[in-house]
Amino acid sequence: MTEPIIRIKHLSKVFGKQPQKVMPLVRQGIHKDTLLAEHEHALGLRDINLDILPGEIFVIMGLSGSGKSTLIRHFNRLIDPTEGEIWIKGTDITQLKNKALEQFRQQHLSMVFQRFALLPHRTVLDNIAYGLEIQKVDKPKRREKARYWLKQVGLEGYDAQYPNQLSGGQQQRVGLARALCTDADILLMDEAFSALDPLIRAEMQDQLKQLQSRLRKTIVFITHDLDEAVKLGDRIAILKDGILVQQGTPEHILHNPADEYVEAFVQNVRR
Ligand SMILES: Nc1ncnc2c1ncn2[C@@H]1O[C@H](COP(=O)(O)OP(=O)(O)OP(=O)(O)O)[C@@H](O)[C@H]1O
Ligand SMILES: [Mg+2]
């Protein structure tokens, strides 16, 4: 059996002044709304367990506020868990301290954001090469690599442009190239295509699939659109109010929605 590349065990996250104090309530299954109304803490995630396999596109879905970003941000520890373990490539990253964590991130994980998050005063090429610069790769080498990835995402010749001279779709291609340029084999994409208009978005989905068929990265992809999830995902996990309500292949979820919440997404796809 293939070992998972990401393994999440009993992960819970509570936001607020004293998360530990309310954890017993969370373990007992208190509803998110009650926790907020009566105990002034926000339930981000409760007891999440999942395995992500190397080379798959794993999609995380759910309505706004269901905990998608909170979950993916644990994978590179932009957020610290209240409880639980986060195993990436055999390392429990909750145990890593400053320098080691930084190095681990740089080596193994890269992130593509919804709002592109490009550096405005750097050229396209220097944006793409940014991760390598942090890794102290020398300039000719990183420019060569950046040019390669620029071409891979279909933007050859745009080296010297600045982000504000590009369309949204082009900026997101730069964001993708930047993430691919570091050679990290785990790609975290939080609603990376959600800000794009439908045609460009479909193009980006196709391009990602095409790249992925060659690169075989492990991609964690967040969306609130089941169409996109079905198109891209090898497997899909569905979050509701911080709880994992179902996971499985797109086919499985379309045919066996676990509850009304999942059913509502499925109805939208059938439409
Ligand atoms: N820093 C924070 N402080 C307090 N509460 C937070 C914080 N970050 C997230 N939350 C809460 O955790 C819950 C999950 O938020 P999260 O951003 O993960 O949702 P999401 O599924 O990504 O939503 P969206 O689709 O709108 O991006 C929400 O109820 C939110 O209010
Ligand atoms: Mg989010």
Side-chain angles (χ1 to χ4, degrees):
M1 223 194 85
T2 324
E3 282 291 302
I5 188 167
I6 300 176
R7 165 164 278 181
I8 304 297
K9 287 168 89 169
H10 301 297
L11 179 68
S12 292
K13 176 66 183 181
V14 173
F15 297 100
K17 286 214 176 84
Q18 291 179 290
Q20 289 301 343
K21 226 172 137 181
V22 300
M23 270 313 291
L25 295 169
V26 170
R27 282 187 215 107
Q28 284 162 29
I30 188 171
H31 191 272
K32 178 176 171 155
D33 297 342
T34 318
L35 188 70
L36 191 62
E38 292 173 17
H39 304 276
E40 288 154 12
H41 281 72
L43 182 62
L45 298 167
R46 191 186 87 207
D47 197 26
I48 304 290
N49 292 282
L50 51 87
D51 286 348
I52 297 175
L53 303 175
E56 75 174 333
I57 301 187
F58 191 90
V59 175
I60 300 170
M61 276 202 51
L63 294 179
S64 186
S66 58
K68 305 181 296 297
S69 295
T70 304
L71 180 55
I72 205 172
R73 282 161 179 266
H74 278 89
F75 295 178
N76 56 0
R77 259 191 65 197
L78 290 179
I79 297 182
D80 284 321
T82 306
E83 212 172 79
E85 298 168 18
I86 304 159
W87 292 84
I88 311 264
K89 297 176 132 186
T91 301
D92 180 2
I93 63 162
T94 62
Q95 302 303 313
L96 296 179
K97 301 277 182 301
N98 316 320
K99 191 85 192 150
L101 176 63
E102 217 169 278
Q103 263 180 4
F104 191 91
R105 265 191 205 134
Q106 280 175 22
Q107 240 183 344
H108 301 293
L109 299 138
S110 55
M111 194 152 190
V112 184
F113 298 89
Q114 176 171 3
R115 284 274 153 209
F116 323 139
L118 301 177
L119 300 163
H121 302 297
R122 284 171 166 253
T123 63
V124 161
L125 202 67
D126 288 338
N127 264 285
I128 296 175
Y130 185 66
L132 297 178
E133 193 177 329
I134 290 180
Q135 289 176 22
K136 302 203 164 52
V137 174
D138 68 50
K139 198 163 182 172
K141 178 84 199 152
R142 65 181 194 247
R143 295 210 143 170
E144 182 195 323
K145 272 192 102 166
R147 267 197 201 93
Y148 172 80
W149 286 109
L150 192 62
K151 189 173 172 194
Q152 293 301 307
V153 299
L155 285 178
E156 202 175 11
Y158 282 79
D159 313 35
Q161 302 284 101
Y162 287 87
N164 68 3
Q165 297 174 300
L166 305 181
S167 72
Q170 290 170 328
Q171 288 185 51
Q172 195 52 300
R173 281 169 214 268
V174 175
L176 185 58
R178 177 179 57 185
L180 292 168
C181 195
T182 65
D183 290 332
D185 51 14
I186 301 174
L187 217 56
L188 306 176
M189 304 181 71
D190 188 353
E191 307 238 17
F193 300 158
S194 301
L196 306 174
D197 62 51
L199 277 179
I200 305 292
R201 185 171 181 172
E203 258 177 46
M204 291 295 289
Q205 293 164 351
D206 292 336
Q207 188 169 40
L208 183 68
K209 282 190 78 152
Q210 217 177 31
L211 279 169
Q212 170 67 352
S213 67
R214 277 194 294 122
L215 300 174
R216 290 280 154 215
K217 303 260 178 190
T218 303
I219 301 178
V220 184
F221 192 99
I222 289 184
T223 180
H224 51 249
D225 175 12
L226 189 57
D227 280 313
E228 186 167 67
V230 166
K231 182 167 171 187
L232 293 177
D234 294 302
R235 288 190 301 143
I236 300 173
I238 299 180
L239 286 175
K240 178 192 179 190
D241 297 333
I243 296 164
L244 191 64
V245 289
Q246 188 170 17
Q247 56 174 319
T249 61
E251 181 120 293
H252 175 77
I253 287 176
L254 289 175
H255 292 113
N256 314 279
D259 62 9
E260 284 169 11
Y261 178 79
V262 181
E263 177 66 30
F265 282 109
V266 171
Q267 288 297 344
N268 270 330
V269 170
R270 289 205 190 112
R271 126 198 63 116

